[in-house]
Amino acid sequence: MTIATEHRRALPIAPLARPARRRLPLLEARDVDRAHRPIYAVWEITLRCDLACRHCGSRAGRARPDELSTAEALDVVRQLAQLGVKEVTLIGGEAYLRDDWADIARAVRDSGMLCSMTTGGRAFTAERAKMARDAGVRAVSVSIDGMREAHDAVRALAGSFDAALASIANLRDAGLTVFANTQINRINFEDLESVFALLVEERVQAWLLQITTAMGRAGDTPDLLLEPYRVLELMPRLARLKERAAAAKMRLWPVNNIGYFGPYEARLQCNKPDKHGGACGAGRVTIGLEANGDVKGCPSLPTHPYAGGNVRDASLADIWEGAAPLRFMRDRTVDDLWGYCRTCYYAEACLGGCNWTTHVLFGKTGNNPYCHHRALELKNAGKRERLARVEAADGQPFDYGRFEIVIEDWTGGEP
């Protein structure tokens, strides 16, 4: 029995999200808060979804009870442009299930910002692809989470792989730039090279990869998650794929939580000025919005404790500058780190890496076990880390349980 087959089991009904947390306090803006401006926004325009994926951190399915109206959403577009945002990615749930998604996309374009979308691809029909093109959407990223068996297991729907490929074809035929994104986990770990070959065949122009994190439904299934020491195998594979992607004129883009100063970092992050991932950009160059108007420094972060205000209560600029939860990376120092990250040689440059990954594991940031440099150092000492869940999540959107790090002797040969 394959691991994909083992994961074919029923999922709980999608929860109804709690209403927005309103009238949160704002602090007086400081020079550092005015100096930072978001250039990239990811906006969940609805939590409604036509899939119920096993790795979904937001437990998407049902619309939020208090999602923004069309008029409110268009005003958010205006404020994003005023704040200096250069690109807005519309997500869900499934963004195309919101009736006015094309109007929002068109407003983004008309405000001088680039507009892109991310989709699970169950039903991005030819008609919707043409709507996206006509609205000025620049690119659409379709989720491909393994080959057919693995993808359908992760997406919890037989036929979802074929539907995603059909969506890619529809978008390509409409003349849109097509990207793909993949969440790397135990179900699809062995499929990466096959997925790459498929994406080249489908003429996908960029491939975005990240490691599945323990938020939402993914945290309900610990054996879905990669053990941290498996980055020792993952990183050289991605480096080889990066070279193949360059030859195929496709961009391979490790995002969020892949990397951190191992021997392949410069090759994988060659597009960045310092040739490494650097510290988290939450609340510094990125901003996230939820469909009910809640604002976070990064779209992936849990609503609580990272939602700092709501656009129904204050302007986006005032929230950006004055909300304490959006400031944590502006104020972070090495003293905020703990565990291995606190004493790491790269602590000052990295500052703990992806905060989304670590908070949903431990309930706090500052110690990231999914680090290539760290895994190599531990292996040199004859050790490795794995994760053990000690507390389950409560079943709400963007929730998380609690894990602990188990350090054990290295067993086996070279990864």
Side-chain angles (χ1 to χ4, degrees), residues 124-325:
F124 218 115
T125 61
E127 180 184 7
R128 285 176 170 142
K130 291 174 183 175
M131 288 174 64
R133 178 199 63 200
D134 294 344
V137 173
R138 179 183 68 94
V140 179
S141 183
V142 181
S143 296
I144 302 292
D145 286 307
M147 298 304 284
R148 182 174 284 103
E149 182 184 16
H151 179 101
D152 285 359
V154 170
R155 296 276 156 182
L157 180 70
S160 59
F161 177 80
D162 294 326
L165 292 187
S167 292
I168 287 175
N170 290 335
L171 292 161
R172 187 181 60 233
D173 291 347
L176 283 155
T177 298
V178 183
F179 295 167
N181 58 84
T182 300
Q183 293 257 352
I184 304 171
N185 49 60
R186 290 196 213 180
I187 292 180
N188 61 26
F189 192 70
E190 302 304 328
D191 281 1
L192 294 178
E193 287 77 10
S194 297
V195 171
F196 167 77
L198 171 71
L199 298 181
V200 171
E201 182 181 338
E202 293 291 335
R203 290 173 280 162
V204 167
Q205 296 186 33
W207 187 22
L208 288 67
L209 299 113
Q210 65 182 195
I211 296 171
T212 297
T213 66
M215 190 163 71
R217 294 193 193 106
D220 294 343
T221 313
D223 62 354
L224 175 69
L225 307 174
L226 284 184
E227 293 290 10
Y229 63 83
R230 297 200 73 181
V231 300
L232 295 172
E233 179 184 350
L234 175 64
M235 298 306 293
R237 288 173 65 191
L238 293 184
R240 291 191 292 270
L241 286 171
K242 178 82 170 183
E243 292 182 354
R244 294 174 60 188
K249 298 185 175 3
M250 181 178 79
R251 182 180 179 187
L252 188 149
W253 184 9
V255 299
N256 291 357
N257 58 6
I258 294 178
Y260 312 122
F261 300 99
Y264 307 106
E265 185 77 351
R267 195 183 314 174
L268 289 168
Q269 303 290 355
C270 61
N271 61 302
K272 296 186 177 179
D274 295 328
K275 303 296 188 291
H276 63 77
C280 173
R284 299 191 301 156
V285 295
T286 64
I287 189 170
L289 296 101
E290 295 183 352
N292 57 15
D294 280 344
V295 182
K296 303 179 291 189
C298 166
S300 301
L301 289 167
T303 305
H304 180 74
Y306 292 101
N310 189 282
V311 295
R312 287 176 168 136
D313 300 325
S315 72
L316 203 53
D318 286 346
I319 295 169
W320 175 264
E321 295 176 357

Side-chain angles (χ1 to χ4, degrees), residues 94-109:
E94 184 57 75
Y96 61 62
L97 293 179
R98 181 172 168 129
D99 291 341
D100 58 0
W101 68 270
D103 297 325
I104 296 172
R106 186 174 293 104
V108 171
R109 179 202 61 189

